Amino acid sequence: MFLAAAIAILVAMALALVRAFMGPTLYDRILSVNVFGTKTVLFIAVLGFLMGRPEFLDIALVYALINFIAIIAVLRFFEYKHADASEAKE
Amino acid sequence: MSIFIDGLSWALLILGGFICVSGAIGMHRFPDFFSRMHAASVTDTLGGSLILVGLMLQLDGEYTVLVKLILIVLFILLTSPTASHALAKAALHGGLRPKLGSNQEEQDEDVLRSFGPVKSEDTKNKE
Amino acid sequence: MKKNNSIRYIVSLIVVLSLIWLGNSGFFNGLLLSLGVVSVIFVVFMSHRLGIIDEESQPLHVSRRIVVYWLWLLKTLVKSNITVIKRIWKGPSSINPVVARIPISQKTEMGQAIYANSITLTPGTTTLDVEDDTMIVYALSNNAIRYLMTGDMDRRVSRLEE
């Protein structure tokens, strides 16, 4: 049953990755990366149970923290980049 | 009793996986960024929590694992709305506008003007 | 008075950090416990230097009703998730996005943050921006906006502030 959940998460990750490559706008891509990161956390957790090694949860926890901070940092970067570009034009 | 807990855990894992896949499919079926954001990052919260709760039911007495799972659930529940709000706000300030539906009588036309001009290069990229 | 308060927040931070350490480590030998003590002291020292030990990072004044509110929010979360998933499987024709202004009655910033995050957490609605006393909300359909206009959630959050 862990395998079923792992496969479901993998399918969702693959779909998110496709959206990240297609994604017409920049924000679609960031959104897909965010979704991909959350799914990775879940996948690591399920994989730990699947292989009988609950220590994987430590990695999942750290990944959850890094994922959130990375998304916020990337969004900040692009927000300021846009602001700079519009200032330079005026 | 243990069969009952096992069954519940099964059901939660399958349901969580189904919700995750639905969210990912929603990312491909919905027409614009804002509705996709709904489909994806918001079903994440419920799907992810269900899977993790399903894992919690599989434990046999190791409390550190339980604590870690609870921490992950709490973290997902707390950060997911923050991240999607930051995304929506950044997209609006970046000049992206939601495609609105047909029933205009209930919405403010001016609401979206307060976010500054629409960036043409961003909207041109849209499907 | 001021000093008293800050000691309260420091103690609460130490308790939270120690619980996290104990919960994640699971070892109770001398070396690892002393390493934990060192980490907790280091983090508290750094937070003190940064000046982030205050009522914002340690919301001790939130009333106990927040547990009841969380349970109610969980119920709403499940209910509205089901509607969003139904819409996903029905396809894009089933959504009808709307942007609207919603009045907010919370006085404190914390109350506003709780309300805005609750709206984002329940699928079907996302807070786009908070202005002085209104909030700009994007919703997949009119039903969600109508529900928010009734002010049910607003009242529940306001009750937490007392």
Side-chain angles (χ1 to χ4, degrees), chain C residues 118-154:
Chain C
S118 305
I119 286 181
T120 312
L121 198 57
T122 49
T125 47
T126 300
T127 316
L128 296 178
D129 210 347
V130 179
E131 283 164 8
D132 302 324
D133 55 349
T134 56
M135 194 151 43
I136 298 172
V137 174
Y138 170 85
L140 283 185
S141 74
N142 260 328
N143 293 343
I145 291 289
R146 270 191 221 114
Y147 169 70
L148 287 175
M149 286 293 191
T150 62
D152 182 30
M153 192 187 258
D154 192 34

Short mmCIF file of all heavy atoms in Angstrom, two decimals, chain C residues 118-154:
data_model
loop_
_atom_site.label_atom_id
_atom_site.label_comp_id
_atom_site.label_asym_id
_atom_site.label_seq_id
_atom_site.Cartn_x
_atom_site.Cartn_y
_atom_site.Cartn_z
N SER C 118 -6.66 31.82 6.67
CA SER C 118 -7.77 30.88 6.66
C SER C 118 -8.46 30.89 5.31
O SER C 118 -8.83 29.84 4.78
CB SER C 118 -8.79 31.21 7.75
OG SER C 118 -8.17 31.28 8.98
N ILE C 119 -8.62 32.10 4.75
CA ILE C 119 -9.28 32.20 3.45
C ILE C 119 -8.44 31.49 2.39
O ILE C 119 -8.95 30.75 1.55
CB ILE C 119 -9.50 33.67 3.07
CG1 ILE C 119 -10.64 34.23 3.91
CG2 ILE C 119 -9.81 33.81 1.59
CD1 ILE C 119 -10.94 35.65 3.61
N THR C 120 -7.10 31.66 2.48
CA THR C 120 -6.26 31.00 1.48
C THR C 120 -6.24 29.49 1.68
O THR C 120 -6.18 28.73 0.71
CB THR C 120 -4.83 31.54 1.57
OG1 THR C 120 -4.89 32.96 1.60
CG2 THR C 120 -4.01 31.11 0.40
N LEU C 121 -6.32 29.08 2.93
CA LEU C 121 -6.23 27.65 3.23
C LEU C 121 -7.46 26.90 2.74
O LEU C 121 -7.36 25.76 2.28
CB LEU C 121 -6.06 27.46 4.73
CG LEU C 121 -5.52 26.13 5.22
CD1 LEU C 121 -4.18 25.85 4.58
CD2 LEU C 121 -5.33 26.20 6.72
N THR C 122 -8.64 27.52 2.84
CA THR C 122 -9.82 26.84 2.33
C THR C 122 -9.83 26.99 0.82
O THR C 122 -9.87 28.10 0.31
CB THR C 122 -11.10 27.46 2.91
OG1 THR C 122 -11.00 28.85 2.75
CG2 THR C 122 -11.29 27.10 4.34
N PRO C 123 -9.77 25.89 0.10
CA PRO C 123 -9.66 25.97 -1.35
C PRO C 123 -10.90 26.62 -1.95
O PRO C 123 -11.97 26.58 -1.36
CB PRO C 123 -9.59 24.50 -1.78
CG PRO C 123 -9.27 23.77 -0.57
CD PRO C 123 -9.80 24.54 0.57
N GLY C 124 -10.70 27.21 -3.12
CA GLY C 124 -11.79 27.95 -3.73
C GLY C 124 -11.61 29.44 -3.56
O GLY C 124 -12.17 30.22 -4.31
N THR C 125 -10.82 29.86 -2.56
CA THR C 125 -10.60 31.28 -2.36
C THR C 125 -9.14 31.52 -2.04
O THR C 125 -8.50 30.72 -1.37
CB THR C 125 -11.45 31.82 -1.18
OG1 THR C 125 -11.29 30.93 -0.10
CG2 THR C 125 -12.88 31.95 -1.55
N THR C 126 -8.60 32.63 -2.52
CA THR C 126 -7.22 33.02 -2.21
C THR C 126 -7.18 34.51 -1.93
O THR C 126 -7.77 35.29 -2.67
CB THR C 126 -6.29 32.71 -3.39
OG1 THR C 126 -6.33 31.32 -3.64
CG2 THR C 126 -4.87 33.11 -3.07
N THR C 127 -6.51 34.89 -0.86
CA THR C 127 -6.35 36.30 -0.58
C THR C 127 -5.25 36.85 -1.46
O THR C 127 -4.14 36.33 -1.48
CB THR C 127 -5.95 36.51 0.88
OG1 THR C 127 -6.74 35.67 1.69
CG2 THR C 127 -6.14 37.94 1.28
N LEU C 128 -5.57 37.89 -2.22
CA LEU C 128 -4.55 38.47 -3.09
C LEU C 128 -3.80 39.59 -2.39
O LEU C 128 -2.61 39.73 -2.52
CB LEU C 128 -5.18 39.00 -4.37
CG LEU C 128 -5.83 37.96 -5.26
CD1 LEU C 128 -6.44 38.62 -6.47
CD2 LEU C 128 -4.82 36.93 -5.71
N ASP C 129 -4.53 40.42 -1.63
CA ASP C 129 -3.88 41.54 -0.98
C ASP C 129 -4.74 42.02 0.18
O ASP C 129 -5.96 41.88 0.15
CB ASP C 129 -3.68 42.68 -1.99
CG ASP C 129 -2.45 43.49 -1.63
OD1 ASP C 129 -1.95 43.32 -0.51
OD2 ASP C 129 -1.99 44.28 -2.47
N VAL C 130 -4.08 42.58 1.19
CA VAL C 130 -4.81 43.16 2.31
C VAL C 130 -4.56 44.65 2.30
O VAL C 130 -3.42 45.10 2.31
CB VAL C 130 -4.34 42.56 3.65
CG1 VAL C 130 -5.08 43.19 4.80
CG2 VAL C 130 -4.54 41.07 3.66
N GLU C 131 -5.66 45.45 2.23
CA GLU C 131 -5.53 46.88 2.39
C GLU C 131 -6.03 47.21 3.78
O GLU C 131 -6.21 46.31 4.59
CB GLU C 131 -6.30 47.60 1.29
CG GLU C 131 -5.52 47.53 -0.02
CD GLU C 131 -6.37 47.86 -1.23
OE1 GLU C 131 -7.52 48.30 -1.03
OE2 GLU C 131 -5.89 47.68 -2.35
N ASP C 132 -6.27 48.51 4.05
CA ASP C 132 -6.53 48.91 5.43
C ASP C 132 -7.60 48.06 6.10
O ASP C 132 -7.35 47.36 7.07
CB ASP C 132 -6.95 50.38 5.47
CG ASP C 132 -5.86 51.23 4.85
OD1 ASP C 132 -4.69 50.87 5.05
OD2 ASP C 132 -6.17 52.21 4.16
N ASP C 133 -8.83 48.14 5.58
CA ASP C 133 -9.87 47.35 6.22
C ASP C 133 -10.65 46.52 5.20
O ASP C 133 -11.77 46.11 5.47
CB ASP C 133 -10.81 48.24 7.04
CG ASP C 133 -11.40 49.34 6.17
OD1 ASP C 133 -10.90 49.49 5.04
OD2 ASP C 133 -12.34 50.00 6.61
N THR C 134 -10.05 46.31 4.05
CA THR C 134 -10.66 45.39 3.09
C THR C 134 -9.60 44.42 2.59
O THR C 134 -8.41 44.64 2.74
CB THR C 134 -11.25 46.12 1.87
OG1 THR C 134 -10.22 46.88 1.27
CG2 THR C 134 -12.42 46.96 2.23
N MET C 135 -10.10 43.35 2.01
CA MET C 135 -9.20 42.32 1.54
C MET C 135 -9.65 41.97 0.13
O MET C 135 -10.85 41.91 -0.14
CB MET C 135 -9.35 41.12 2.46
CG MET C 135 -8.30 40.12 2.35
SD MET C 135 -8.10 39.26 3.90
CE MET C 135 -9.71 38.94 4.44
N ILE C 136 -8.68 41.79 -0.77
CA ILE C 136 -9.04 41.43 -2.14
C ILE C 136 -8.93 39.92 -2.27
O ILE C 136 -7.88 39.34 -2.00
CB ILE C 136 -8.15 42.16 -3.15
CG1 ILE C 136 -8.39 43.66 -2.99
CG2 ILE C 136 -8.46 41.72 -4.56
CD1 ILE C 136 -7.46 44.49 -3.77
N VAL C 137 -10.03 39.29 -2.63
CA VAL C 137 -10.10 37.84 -2.63
C VAL C 137 -10.42 37.36 -4.03
O VAL C 137 -11.30 37.90 -4.70
CB VAL C 137 -11.18 37.35 -1.64
CG1 VAL C 137 -11.35 35.86 -1.75
CG2 VAL C 137 -10.81 37.73 -0.23
N TYR C 138 -9.67 36.34 -4.47
CA TYR C 138 -9.95 35.69 -5.74
C TYR C 138 -10.65 34.38 -5.44
O TYR C 138 -10.21 33.64 -4.56
CB TYR C 138 -8.64 35.44 -6.48
CG TYR C 138 -8.76 34.57 -7.69
CD1 TYR C 138 -9.11 35.12 -8.91
CD2 TYR C 138 -8.52 33.22 -7.62
CE1 TYR C 138 -9.23 34.33 -10.03
CE2 TYR C 138 -8.64 32.42 -8.73
CZ TYR C 138 -8.99 32.98 -9.93
OH TYR C 138 -9.11 32.19 -11.04
N ALA C 139 -11.74 34.10 -6.14
CA ALA C 139 -12.47 32.87 -5.86
C ALA C 139 -12.80 32.16 -7.16
O ALA C 139 -12.93 32.79 -8.21
CB ALA C 139 -13.75 33.17 -5.10
N LEU C 140 -12.91 30.85 -7.08
CA LEU C 140 -13.23 30.07 -8.27
C LEU C 140 -14.69 30.23 -8.67
O LEU C 140 -15.04 30.03 -9.81
CB LEU C 140 -12.93 28.59 -8.04
CG LEU C 140 -11.48 28.16 -8.10
CD1 LEU C 140 -11.40 26.66 -7.96
CD2 LEU C 140 -10.84 28.59 -9.39
N SER C 141 -15.56 30.55 -7.70
CA SER C 141 -16.97 30.70 -8.06
C SER C 141 -17.62 31.70 -7.12
O SER C 141 -17.06 32.07 -6.10
CB SER C 141 -17.70 29.37 -7.96
OG SER C 141 -17.90 29.06 -6.61
N ASN C 142 -18.81 32.12 -7.50
CA ASN C 142 -19.52 33.11 -6.71
C ASN C 142 -19.96 32.60 -5.35
O ASN C 142 -20.10 33.36 -4.41
CB ASN C 142 -20.75 33.59 -7.48
CG ASN C 142 -20.49 34.91 -8.13
OD1 ASN C 142 -19.72 35.71 -7.59
ND2 ASN C 142 -21.08 35.14 -9.27
N ASN C 143 -20.21 31.29 -5.27
CA ASN C 143 -20.71 30.73 -4.01
C ASN C 143 -19.75 31.03 -2.86
O ASN C 143 -20.16 31.39 -1.77
CB ASN C 143 -20.87 29.22 -4.12
CG ASN C 143 -21.96 28.86 -5.09
OD1 ASN C 143 -22.78 29.72 -5.42
ND2 ASN C 143 -21.98 27.63 -5.54
N ALA C 144 -18.43 30.88 -3.13
CA ALA C 144 -17.45 31.10 -2.08
C ALA C 144 -17.48 32.55 -1.62
O ALA C 144 -17.41 32.83 -0.42
CB ALA C 144 -16.07 30.72 -2.60
N ILE C 145 -17.59 33.49 -2.59
CA ILE C 145 -17.65 34.91 -2.22
C ILE C 145 -18.89 35.19 -1.40
O ILE C 145 -18.85 35.89 -0.39
CB ILE C 145 -17.65 35.77 -3.50
CG1 ILE C 145 -16.28 35.70 -4.20
CG2 ILE C 145 -17.98 37.21 -3.18
CD1 ILE C 145 -15.18 36.39 -3.47
N ARG C 146 -20.01 34.59 -1.81
CA ARG C 146 -21.26 34.82 -1.06
C ARG C 146 -21.11 34.32 0.36
O ARG C 146 -21.57 34.96 1.30
CB ARG C 146 -22.43 34.12 -1.75
CG ARG C 146 -23.09 35.03 -2.74
CD ARG C 146 -24.39 34.46 -3.24
NE ARG C 146 -24.46 34.71 -4.67
CZ ARG C 146 -24.45 33.77 -5.58
NH1 ARG C 146 -24.41 32.50 -5.23
NH2 ARG C 146 -24.50 34.09 -6.85
N TYR C 147 -20.42 33.16 0.50
CA TYR C 147 -20.23 32.65 1.86
C TYR C 147 -19.40 33.62 2.68
O TYR C 147 -19.73 33.92 3.83
CB TYR C 147 -19.55 31.27 1.82
CG TYR C 147 -19.11 30.84 3.17
CD1 TYR C 147 -20.06 30.49 4.13
CD2 TYR C 147 -17.77 30.84 3.53
CE1 TYR C 147 -19.68 30.13 5.39
CE2 TYR C 147 -17.38 30.49 4.79
CZ TYR C 147 -18.33 30.13 5.72
OH TYR C 147 -17.95 29.80 6.99
N LEU C 148 -18.31 34.16 2.09
CA LEU C 148 -17.46 35.09 2.84
C LEU C 148 -18.22 36.36 3.19
O LEU C 148 -18.02 36.95 4.25
CB LEU C 148 -16.21 35.42 2.04
CG LEU C 148 -15.18 34.31 1.94
CD1 LEU C 148 -14.06 34.74 1.03
CD2 LEU C 148 -14.63 33.97 3.31
N MET C 149 -19.11 36.80 2.28
CA MET C 149 -19.87 38.02 2.52
C MET C 149 -20.80 37.89 3.71
O MET C 149 -21.14 38.86 4.36
CB MET C 149 -20.70 38.38 1.27
CG MET C 149 -19.88 38.93 0.14
SD MET C 149 -19.19 40.53 0.55
CE MET C 149 -18.59 41.06 -1.05
N THR C 150 -21.23 36.64 4.02
CA THR C 150 -22.11 36.49 5.17
C THR C 150 -21.35 36.76 6.46
O THR C 150 -21.96 36.99 7.50
CB THR C 150 -22.68 35.06 5.25
OG1 THR C 150 -21.58 34.15 5.40
CG2 THR C 150 -23.46 34.70 4.02
N GLY C 151 -20.00 36.73 6.42
CA GLY C 151 -19.22 37.11 7.59
C GLY C 151 -19.11 36.05 8.66
O GLY C 151 -18.72 36.35 9.79
N ASP C 152 -19.43 34.81 8.33
CA ASP C 152 -19.38 33.74 9.32
C ASP C 152 -17.95 33.53 9.81
O ASP C 152 -17.67 33.57 11.01
CB ASP C 152 -19.94 32.46 8.68
CG ASP C 152 -19.96 31.30 9.66
OD1 ASP C 152 -20.09 31.58 10.87
OD2 ASP C 152 -19.84 30.16 9.21
N MET C 153 -17.03 33.38 8.85
CA MET C 153 -15.63 33.16 9.21
C MET C 153 -15.05 34.39 9.91
O MET C 153 -14.29 34.28 10.88
CB MET C 153 -14.84 32.84 7.94
CG MET C 153 -13.46 32.31 8.18
SD MET C 153 -12.55 32.17 6.65
CE MET C 153 -12.66 30.43 6.33
N ASP C 154 -15.43 35.56 9.43
CA ASP C 154 -14.97 36.82 10.00
C ASP C 154 -15.29 36.88 11.50
O ASP C 154 -14.42 37.18 12.32
CB ASP C 154 -15.68 37.95 9.26
CG ASP C 154 -15.08 39.29 9.59
OD1 ASP C 154 -13.86 39.34 9.79
OD2 ASP C 154 -15.82 40.27 9.63
#
